[in-house]
């Protein structure tokens, strides 16, 4: 069994977080991941207080294991969601796409463990000083909103800069990725793209088809010029955005709005934004969450004991 300080700290079997993917990471997926021994996470994304409360209650009805909530800090509802979480006392709160410093003390006082997602050493140091219990360091291989630095370069630098556990994210989808993350000094991993291809994940079948059909060069980054780089699978939408993003940023904002919802719920392969990481090309089948977690942790165990990878 992989040894990590966070399994004991959080009361979970495997040091694996499921990423807080907007529209995707709902109560049913989070509960399935927690029931299988990982840490399931509900994405608060653009939900208001009431919508999030319903999801948290649903997750509590589906699992008695710890689970987390991810707060997307660019959401117009981030503040009210942050306030709800002080009352809800979920096991873990993760944050993304911003600086959660103002909320950390309140969440910790309520008893939640706080694991912000960061993409730079500077923010890692600041949030460690602000009292974060751990950090999720996400490299630019990841899907959705990303930073500049690759996972391979980011993890050891963050690990050296702070004295709290670091969870590696971006480009991980099997036991090799987990073992590599531990070699770089991480105490756990977070995966997003890989969970799109689990049976319990209820995205539109076309989304799964797009991920299954992805190659190593299937993703691209759009929105750099707007300051919100987003990695997603190449399609008509991303190619159009790439063409006009320098000349007409406002049109891009308009095209991007609703495009993720359109991909997840409607499966529109032309107008949808199919966020996914570079590791999409590794994923070849749909599997139940438990089977998947059991398999990749067995692989990681063997590699970390010094066995070589057998295809
Ligand atoms: O948050 C993510 N991934 C996301 S959020 C999202 S929804 C969205 N839709 C449209 C535009 C923007 C977002 C889709 N995917 N991952 C965690 C993450 N956080 N990656 C990188 C960061 C990050 C970046 C800058 C965290 C902090 C940060 O700091 C900037 C600051 O404010 O200091």
């Amino acid at each position: 069994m992989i040894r990590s300080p966070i399994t004991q700290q959080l009361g979970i079997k495997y040091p694996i977080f499921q990423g807080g993917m907007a529209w995707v990471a709902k109560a049913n997926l989070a509960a399935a991941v927690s029931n299988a021994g990982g840490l399931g996470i509900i994405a608060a994304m653009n939900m208001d207080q009431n919508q999030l409360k319903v999801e948290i209650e649903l997750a509590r009805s589906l699992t008695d294991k710890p689970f987390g909530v991810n707060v997307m800090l660019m959401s117009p509802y981030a503040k009210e969601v942050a306030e709800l979480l002080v009352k809800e006392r979920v096991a873990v709160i993760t944050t993304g796409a911003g600086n959660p410093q103002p909320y950390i003390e309140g969440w910790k006082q309520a008893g939640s463990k706080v694991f912000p997602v960061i993409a730079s050493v500077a923010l890692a140091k600041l949030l460690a000083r602000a009292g974060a219990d751990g950090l999720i360091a996400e490299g630019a291989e990841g899907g959705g909103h990303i930073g500049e630095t690759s996972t391979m370069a980011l993890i050891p630098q963050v690990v050296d800069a702070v004295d709290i556990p670091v969870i590696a994210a971006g480009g991980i989808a099997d036991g090799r990725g987990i073992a590599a993350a531990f070699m770089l000094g991480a105490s756990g991993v977070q995966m997003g793209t890989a969970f799109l291809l689990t049976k319990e994940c209820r995205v539109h079948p076309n989304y799964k088809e797009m991920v299954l059909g992805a190659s190593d060069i299937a993703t691209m980054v759009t929105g750099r010029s707007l300051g919100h780089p987003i990695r997603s699978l190449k399609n008509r939408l991303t190619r159009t955005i790439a063409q006009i993003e320098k000349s007409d940023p406002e049109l891009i904002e308009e095209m991007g709005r609703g495009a993720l919802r359109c991909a997840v719920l409607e499966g529109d392969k032309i107008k949808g934004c199919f966020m996914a990481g570079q590791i999409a090309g590794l994923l070849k089948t749909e599997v139940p969450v438990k089977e998947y977690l059991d398999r990749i942790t067995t692989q990681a165990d063997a590699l970390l004991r010094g066995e070589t990878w057998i295809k």
Side-chain angles (χ1 to χ4, degrees):
M1 186 67 95
I2 309 170
R3 275 195 307 186
S4 159
I6 68 146
T7 47
Q8 212 183 356
Q9 182 193 17
L10 304 180
I12 54 181
K13 184 175 175 196
Y14 300 135
I16 297 178
F17 289 19
Q18 162 247 311
M21 298 165 282
W23 294 103
V24 177
K26 308 296 285 278
N28 74 302
L29 180 63
V33 172
S34 289
N35 282 332
L39 185 79
I41 292 179
I42 296 169
M45 52 155 189
N46 285 352
M47 287 184 209
D48 64 22
Q49 271 198 355
N50 295 333
Q51 291 166 317
L52 180 60
K53 202 167 172 3
V54 169
E55 284 300 309
I56 292 173
E57 275 162 16
L58 181 55
R60 287 196 169 123
S61 74
L62 296 170
T63 185
D64 54 4
K65 300 274 193 311
F67 63 88
V69 171
N70 171 263
V71 181
M72 210 280 278
L73 292 161
M74 279 168 51
S75 160
Y77 301 103
K79 192 163 183 288
E80 70 173 68
V81 156
E83 285 162 12
L84 172 73
L85 290 175
V86 172
K87 290 179 235 152
E88 289 292 334
R89 299 163 189 269
V90 292
V92 175
I93 299 172
T94 70
T95 64
N99 180 351
Q101 192 172 9
Y103 306 123
I104 293 181
E105 207 180 294
W107 288 338
K108 281 187 53 161
Q109 271 175 13
S112 297
K113 301 280 185 219
V114 182
F115 282 70
V117 176
I118 52 92
S120 71
V121 168
L123 193 57
K125 284 184 175 166
L126 192 147
L127 294 174
R129 275 201 301 274
D133 295 285
L135 295 168
I136 302 166
E138 188 189 277
E141 296 93 321
H145 182 61
I146 49 167
E148 290 286 332
T149 310
S150 67
T151 304
M152 182 77 131
L154 181 67
I155 303 306
Q157 295 187 64
V158 173
V159 168
D160 281 359
V162 300
D163 293 316
I164 50 177
V166 175
I167 307 298
I172 302 170
D174 71 3
R176 289 171 292 186
I178 298 172
F182 275 76
M183 291 284 182
L184 296 174
S187 301
V189 299
Q190 173 169 282
M191 301 188 298
T193 306
F195 285 107
L196 290 169
L197 282 190
T198 57
K199 291 248 192 276
E200 293 86 343
C201 179
R202 293 185 191 153
V203 293
H204 193 284
N206 288 357
Y207 206 133
K208 297 194 182 201
E209 228 175 71
M210 293 272 286
V211 176
L212 277 170
S215 73
D216 56 331
I217 55 166
T219 71
M220 68 186 291
V221 179
T222 51
R224 275 221 169 90
S225 58
L226 308 173
H228 307 310
I230 298 275
R231 183 181 299 285
S232 48
L233 296 172
K234 291 174 190 166
N235 65 353
R236 251 250 309 270
L237 175 82
T238 59
R239 285 194 193 97
T240 310
I241 288 180
Q243 258 178 10
I244 59 174
E245 109 174 41
K246 287 205 174 65
S247 55
D248 199 346
E250 269 163 35
L251 180 60
I252 302 293
E253 293 272 13
E254 198 181 303
M255 287 175 72
R257 214 167 291 137
L260 177 60
R261 182 190 171 282
C262 177
V264 175
L265 300 187
E266 285 152 41
D268 188 326
K269 291 189 179 183
I270 291 164
K271 287 191 280 213
C273 175
F274 295 82
M275 293 186 191
Q278 289 182 325
I279 203 67
L282 192 78
L283 303 163
K284 298 295 176 215
T285 50
E286 197 186 0
V287 280
V289 167
K290 183 169 184 318
E291 190 182 316
Y292 175 63
L293 291 187
D294 289 347
R295 181 170 78 230
I296 63 176
T297 50
T298 304
Q299 292 169 340
D301 280 345
L303 291 171
L304 290 167
R305 277 197 307 270
E307 289 176 25
T308 47
W309 178 258
I310 298 165
K311 269 190 168 183

